Every structure is written in structure tokens, then in C-alpha cells.
Amino acid sequence: MMISANTLIFILGGLTFLFVFSWFKKAAIAVFKKELASNDNHKSVWSKLFQVFLVDWLICIIGVIATGVVFLAIFGQFQ
């Protein structure tokens, strides 16, 4: 079973998005650690973390699909 060029381009687009998004998240985690260190009330932290998880999950799903489609569109224009 061979993988088509379109599938590889789509996967490359998705991986590119995840790589760039992970850089963004690394910076966001650094800011969150500073906020956590300065905040004595740790009860609200878990609800914030769960909200961040849900938003990041949705961003990853939509971003991977959209970036894959964009890569395919660009590939189609140059073909």
C-alpha cells in the first residue's frame, strides 16, 4: 500500500502546525508557571488547566486540518 503525494503533503502540513503550536505553548507554559508561583489560591488552577486543555485540543484539531488543506491547495497550484 503506497501513500499518495496528497496524503504526505497533508500530513506535512499537520505536523508543521503542531510543531509551531508547540513553540507557542512552551511560551504560554512559562507565563502560566509565573502566575502559579505568584498565586496562593491553587483551587482555581485545575479548572483553568482543563479549560486550556479543551481550547488547545480544539485548536490542534482545527489547525492540523486547516494547515493540511492549505498545504494541499498550495501544492495543487504548483502542480
Side-chain angles (χ1 to χ4, degrees):
M1 183 171 97
M2 295 278 302
I3 296 178
S4 69
N6 286 344
T7 304
L8 287 175
I9 296 294
F10 184 84
I11 291 171
L12 179 65
L15 290 175
T16 301
F17 174 80
L18 289 176
F19 180 73
V20 172
F21 187 70
S22 68
W23 275 0
F24 166 76
K25 286 311 295 178
K26 184 177 179 181
I29 287 171
V31 170
F32 184 74
K33 282 183 181 179
K34 288 179 185 175
E35 179 184 332
L36 185 59
S38 67
N39 187 4
D40 289 335
N41 183 11
H42 297 296
K43 293 179 183 177
S44 66
V45 170
W46 291 109
S47 64
K48 283 184 183 179
L49 282 176
F50 186 68
Q51 290 172 354
V52 168
F53 164 75
L54 288 177
V55 170
D56 288 347
W57 181 61
L58 289 173
I59 288 172
C60 284
I61 290 172
I62 294 167
V64 164
I65 292 170
T67 307
V69 169
V70 167
F71 271 45
L72 283 175
I74 292 170
F75 179 69
Q77 289 295 326
F78 289 113
Q79 207 174 23

